[in-house]
Amino acid sequence: MKFFKFYSLLFIASMVGCSPLTTTVKTDTTAFYQPSFKSEGSVVVLPGDISLDNSLEFDLYRQKVEEKLSAEGFSIADNIEAADFAALLLYAVDDGKQSVVYSPIYGQTGRRINSYSDIAYDADGRAVYIRRNYLSPDFGVVGASANTKTNYRQTIALDIVEADSLSDDKPKKLFEGRTISSGQCSVMVEVFDELLEAMFSDFPGDNGRNRRQTVDSVTNCS
């Protein structure tokens, strides 16, 4: 029975260790758009990079962007020929930047003399005060440990252009949105929902202004 309890505890501990982490993602969003831009008409979501055209990852993100655009008032088109606008989506995570984080180490720094008064009685039965001394340890910072931390920059970009201008050298852009964050996630899938939530919060946002937000997140990143 003791062995059963022991391995049960190990199993529970391993499950807890693998559980997703509830945290927050801090984001910065900028939006630039034409004064005539409105959330109406039909739109098709396309990759901003042709190499993503056959990507299953992009297909997942495309569906999420379509849901956001639809909620804002756009109708979703199946192809460019049936669309008034094209929403060009790009996303990226950089190679990360390392930094060293120092943490204090606490321990015993020495000893100090403390004293207190005690009552005793002499041979005649009279009370007298006696000062007694004792040593007690002092605690404080005795050193520091260094840990290397890697922060990754995550970015999603969404440009909305007139569909019939895509064949031109410079498509007519109506909306340009960028949302970035920085953290320990090195894979886009763990933060894409949070970045997209920030981009479409109060969409399209103030023209030409940065919008800083903190988005609740459940992530598998350490």
Side-chain angles (χ1 to χ4, degrees), residues 164-198:
D164 57 8
S165 71
L166 273 179
S167 57
D168 301 338
D169 291 336
K170 291 185 178 180
K172 187 174 180 181
K173 190 181 294 187
L174 302 177
F175 171 86
E176 178 181 290
R178 304 288 183 270
T179 298
I180 63 173
S181 68
S182 179
Q184 292 183 269
C185 278
S186 60
V187 287
M188 175 56 65
V189 70
E190 288 296 331
V191 293
F192 185 86
D193 288 346
E194 290 80 0
L195 268 63
L196 192 64
E197 180 68 25

Side-chain angles (χ1 to χ4, degrees), residues 67 138 170 208:
E67 291 174 0
D138 266 347
K170 291 185 178 180

Side-chain angles (χ1 to χ4, degrees), residues 46-185:
L46 301 174
D49 185 337
I50 194 173
S51 66
L52 300 175
D53 193 41
N54 195 35
S55 167
L56 294 179
E57 182 182 13
F58 175 80
D59 283 344
L60 175 63
Y61 299 157
R62 173 179 54 79
Q63 296 172 31
K64 295 176 182 291
V65 173
E66 287 177 347
E67 291 174 0
K68 291 293 187 181
L69 291 171
S70 179
E72 293 297 330
F74 288 98
S75 60
I76 306 302
D78 294 329
N79 52 67
I80 190 66
E81 289 77 15
D84 299 316
F85 309 104
L88 307 178
L89 174 66
L90 274 175
Y91 47 88
V93 179
D94 70 7
D95 294 330
K97 182 179 180 180
Q98 287 191 340
S99 60
V100 179
V101 179
Y102 293 94
S103 301
I105 299 174
Y106 295 93
Q108 184 175 332
T109 57
R111 289 186 172 187
R112 63 178 174 178
I113 298 176
N114 292 275
S115 60
Y116 67 95
S117 296
D118 196 6
I119 298 177
Y121 297 91
D122 60 15
D124 297 325
R126 292 175 299 182
V128 294
Y129 288 94
I130 301 175
R131 180 171 294 276
R132 301 183 186 277
N133 296 326
Y134 67 95
L135 292 175
S136 65
D138 266 347
F139 292 94
V141 177
V142 296
S145 63
N147 296 296
T148 302
K149 180 180 179 181
T150 303
N151 276 328
Y152 299 89
R153 183 185 179 95
Q154 307 97 5
T155 305
I156 62 172
L158 187 71
D159 292 346
I160 299 178
V161 304
E162 291 186 356
D164 57 8
S165 71
L166 273 179
S167 57
D168 301 338
D169 291 336
K170 291 185 178 180
K172 187 174 180 181
K173 190 181 294 187
L174 302 177
F175 171 86
E176 178 181 290
R178 304 288 183 270
T179 298
I180 63 173
S181 68
S182 179
Q184 292 183 269
C185 278

